[in-house]
Amino acid sequence: DAGVIQSPRHEVTEMGQEVTLRCKPISGHDYLFWYRQTMMRGLELLIYFNNNVPIDDSGMPEDRFSAKMPNASFSTLKIQPSEPRDSAVYFCATRPGRGVAEAFFGQGTRLTVV
Amino acid sequence: AQSVTQLGSHVSVSEGALVLLRCNYSSSVPPYLFWYVQYPNQGLQLLLKYTSAATLVKGINGFEAEFKKSETSFHLTKPSAHMSDAAEYFCAYSGAGSYQLTFGKGTKLSVIP
C-alpha cells in the first residue's frame, strides 16, 4: 500500500480564497483523522471519521472549516474563506478499526495564506 | 480529560551519548502510548508503541521506551545518539477503547558532532 496520500503538498493562497485539502486513506482503514500542526499549538485534532461518518468535530476551529468523507477512499478539508492564521501544516491520518492501535500519517499539506 | 506532557521542547546531545526524552501522561483509563518521529517536511512515523503487553518496548532505529504506571511515564531512550536521530519526537496517548490520539507538544532533538 502507498500509505496515506495527501494533496497538495504545498498550497499558497490569498486571504479570502477557498482552500481544499485532500486525503486518500489506506485501503481498509476505518478511521480517518485531520490534524493541524503549528509552532504555537502543536498537533491539534480537528475532526475524525469512522466508516465515512464524522464522529467528533469539536476541534474544528470555526465555521470556516468543513470536512467531508464522501466514500472510504477520499476525504477533504475545506477552509472558506481562508485567513493568514490558518497557515499551518495539515495532516491526515488513518487507522484500522480493530487490532492495531496506532495511526498512520500522510506527508502533510503545508498551507500558507498571505 | 487525558493529557500528555513532554518535558523539554528542545534537547541537545553529543553524537554517541545517551538520548533520553521524557513523556508523562495523565488519564484515568489504561493507556496505549506511542512515540512518533518527524523529520523536516515529513509526516509522523511510528517509532514504538505500548499496548499493555511488555512494559519495556523496543522500536525502530535502536530506540526503546519503558512504561511505568506508578510514575505515569513513558520515556524514550537510545543508548548512543547518531546524527540521523536529529528530528522532532512526539509522545501520544490513546485510552483503551478510544480511537483518538492525544499528542504532546513535541521535543526537538539535536545531535552535536
Side-chain angles (χ1 to χ4, degrees):
Chain A
D1 200 314
V4 178
I5 299 174
Q6 291 186 246
S7 63
R9 287 295 310 276
H10 302 273
E11 176 80 41
V12 180
T13 190
E14 291 185 348
M15 183 174 63
Q17 295 298 305
E18 176 180 296
V19 175
T20 300
L21 312 182
R22 297 172 175 80
C23 175
K24 177 177 167 50
I26 294 172
S27 177
H29 282 197
D30 297 333
Y31 287 84
L32 184 142
F33 306 85
W34 282 100
Y35 286 89
R36 178 171 69 175
Q37 185 180 35
T38 60
M39 291 286 291
M40 291 297 294
R41 301 173 69 92
L43 272 162
E44 305 172 273
L45 177 64
L46 301 177
I47 185 172
Y48 80 95
F49 296 82
N50 176 216
N51 291 325
N52 315 335
V53 176
I55 303 300
D56 185 352
D57 65 355
S58 60
M60 296 286 261
E62 47 196 278
D63 292 346
R64 297 184 297 106
F65 286 68
S66 63
K68 293 183 180 179
M69 192 165 185
N71 57 61
S73 303
F74 185 62
S75 178
T76 59
L77 178 67
K78 186 178 293 187
I79 308 172
Q80 165 63 17
S82 58
E83 296 182 2
R85 60 193 168 119
D86 302 330
S87 298
V89 181
Y90 292 81
F91 287 103
C92 177
T94 69
R95 64 177 287 182
R98 55 180 63 201
V100 174
E102 71 267 25
F104 297 79
F105 280 75
Q107 298 279 58
T109 295
R110 181 174 296 277
L111 174 65
T112 304
V113 184
V114 298
Chain B
Q2 61 270 15
S3 67
V4 178
T5 303
Q6 291 184 238
L7 291 176
S9 59
H10 198 158
V11 171
S12 292
V13 299
S14 296
E15 191 174 16
L18 171 72
V19 176
L20 171 61
L21 304 182
R22 299 177 188 274
C23 173
N24 289 86
Y25 70 94
S26 65
S27 171
S28 58
V29 299
Y32 293 157
L33 294 161
F34 310 84
W35 277 99
Y36 283 84
V37 60
Q38 184 181 28
Y39 298 102
N41 300 314
Q42 299 289 319
L44 279 71
Q45 177 186 359
L46 183 71
L47 270 181
L48 49 79
K49 63 181 178 183
Y50 166 77
T51 56
S52 76
T55 56
L56 182 62
V57 180
K58 294 187 185 299
I60 62 172
N61 301 338
F63 284 93
E64 63 180 37
E66 186 173 9
F67 172 66
K68 292 187 177 180
K69 185 177 178 180
S70 61
E71 299 177 8
T72 61
S73 69
F74 190 56
H75 302 332
L76 181 71
T77 60
K78 182 174 180 178
S80 176
H82 192 272
M83 296 299 294
S84 61
D85 296 327
E88 190 156 18
Y89 293 79
F90 293 89
C91 182
Y93 162 94
S94 176
S98 169
Y99 293 96
Q100 300 183 53
L101 285 176
T102 299
F103 283 88
K105 294 287 189 186
T107 297
K108 194 165 189 177
L109 175 67
S110 298
V111 182
I112 305 164

